[in-house]
Amino acid sequence: MQSPARGRRLDAVAGPFTPRTPRVVAARRLHRRRDRDATGRFLAEGPQAVREALDGTGTVVELFGTPAALDRHAELAARAARADLPVSEVTDEALAALTETVAPQGLVAVCRHLDVPLATALGRGPRLVAVLAGIRDPGNAGTVLRTADAAGAGAVVFAGDTVDPYNGKCVRASAGSLFHVDVVRAPDLPGVVDALRAAGLSVFATTGYGDSDLDDLADHGRLAAPTAWLFGSEAHGLPAELTAVADARVRVPLHGRAESLNLAAAAAVCLYASARALR
């Protein structure tokens, strides 16, 4: 049986997909990075992520949803159906197998990888770029991605041994921003800096021990030029080879008694300082 509002549906005899249905089993494997890398696909969970994914032509491969969620978000099911995408009803148990949250919202989309080559992203002339170097926590990475998008960055580079941008927690923390900016995966850290500089961007490394103060850079107009910010892990900071080749090693001024800012907060301060200067 088919419904124009929901697209391709299971007939009444077959009923909704269960955790054992082959398409659910295949999608569930995308919780593992090796399967995401092998297939070039990942899972986007919840109506907000599904909506953003559907905005990208060719991004979504399939939509799963419980009957209640497909009724509640009929406009999303209809959009998927108009794009000739399978829209499959699943049981609550199957939905739980496809999600990683305690209280899933009933919708999961299988999506194609979105990353682009570094040269392609830089060829579009971004004026603000965020580089995540060696960040292993997916929640932090997704939050920085979301912040970069909000600040108007054109690209976010996952450089070196950084978490997979398609990790489920990273996708959720990005709150849809994964679908808005150019996402780049680049294993060669020094090569990333060389490419950024060749594209005309100033490269600033963030470190609590930097010899340049963020406020001083802003006051002297150094943030008004196209800029790439390098952010390292909260535990270990930036790799030494990156701080050494950056145009400046920048610290965020601390006016109170706090020892430091966490990664996401420091990234927000730096990216918005650039956003203000660039505008």
Side-chain angles (χ1 to χ4, degrees):
M1 178 173 69
Q2 284 207 343
S3 164
R6 295 187 186 173
R8 301 175 187 172
R9 296 281 306 282
L10 293 177
D11 61 36
V13 176
F17 287 173
T18 74
R20 295 176 179 271
T21 303
R23 276 158 56 187
V24 173
V25 172
R28 185 179 184 181
R29 293 193 184 106
L30 298 177
H31 290 313
R32 300 184 299 222
R33 180 168 187 168
R34 66 175 180 270
D35 289 285
R36 294 194 297 268
D37 289 342
T39 62
R41 297 181 178 184
F42 69 102
L43 300 177
E45 177 183 338
Q48 175 64 21
V50 169
R51 183 176 292 107
E52 301 293 347
L54 286 170
D55 284 342
T57 302
T59 299
V60 178
V61 176
E62 181 170 11
L63 179 62
F64 295 103
T66 63
L70 290 173
D71 282 337
R72 189 164 56 250
H73 303 287
E75 79 286 358
L76 297 179
R79 284 181 60 188
R82 287 194 298 269
D84 198 30
L85 299 171
V87 180
S88 304
E89 281 190 352
V90 297
T91 64
D92 289 340
E93 293 77 13
L95 195 281
L98 292 170
T99 60
E100 298 176 316
T101 53
V102 175
Q105 296 177 304
L107 294 180
V108 175
V110 177
C111 303
R112 293 183 176 88
H113 281 187
L114 304 160
D115 46 294
V116 300
L118 180 60
T120 299
L122 296 180
R124 293 175 178 147
R127 302 183 70 206
L128 183 60
V129 173
V131 180
L132 283 58
I135 295 175
R136 306 305 301 274
D137 182 89
N140 271 338
T143 301
V144 175
L145 173 55
R146 180 181 183 180
T147 303
D149 175 28
V156 177
V157 182
F158 286 67
D161 190 22
T162 293
V163 68
D164 177 16
Y166 305 113
N167 173 287
K169 188 174 182 180
C170 184
V171 174
R172 292 191 300 276
S174 80
S177 290
L178 177 70
F179 303 101
H180 298 165
V181 301
D182 282 342
V183 174
V184 177
R185 290 193 286 180
D188 179 14
L189 286 173
V192 168
V193 174
D194 291 342
L196 292 167
R197 192 171 284 122
L201 287 94
S202 297
V203 180
F204 296 147
T206 56
T207 170
Y209 307 99
D211 46 18
S212 297
D213 182 283
L214 178 65
D215 288 345
D216 290 341
L217 289 182
D219 291 345
H220 289 86
R222 293 187 66 186
L223 299 183
T227 299
W229 284 99
L230 309 180
F231 302 109
S233 75
E234 199 157 302
H236 306 292
L238 281 167
E241 65 266 29
L242 283 191
T243 57
V245 298
D247 296 312
R249 285 145 293 282
V250 184
R251 68 183 183 278
V252 175
L254 301 175
H255 304 297
R257 298 176 62 186
E259 180 185 5
S260 63
L261 292 174
N262 68 23
L263 169 63
V269 171
C270 294
L271 289 166
Y272 268 93
S274 282
R276 180 181 182 188
L278 289 168
R279 283 161 178 75

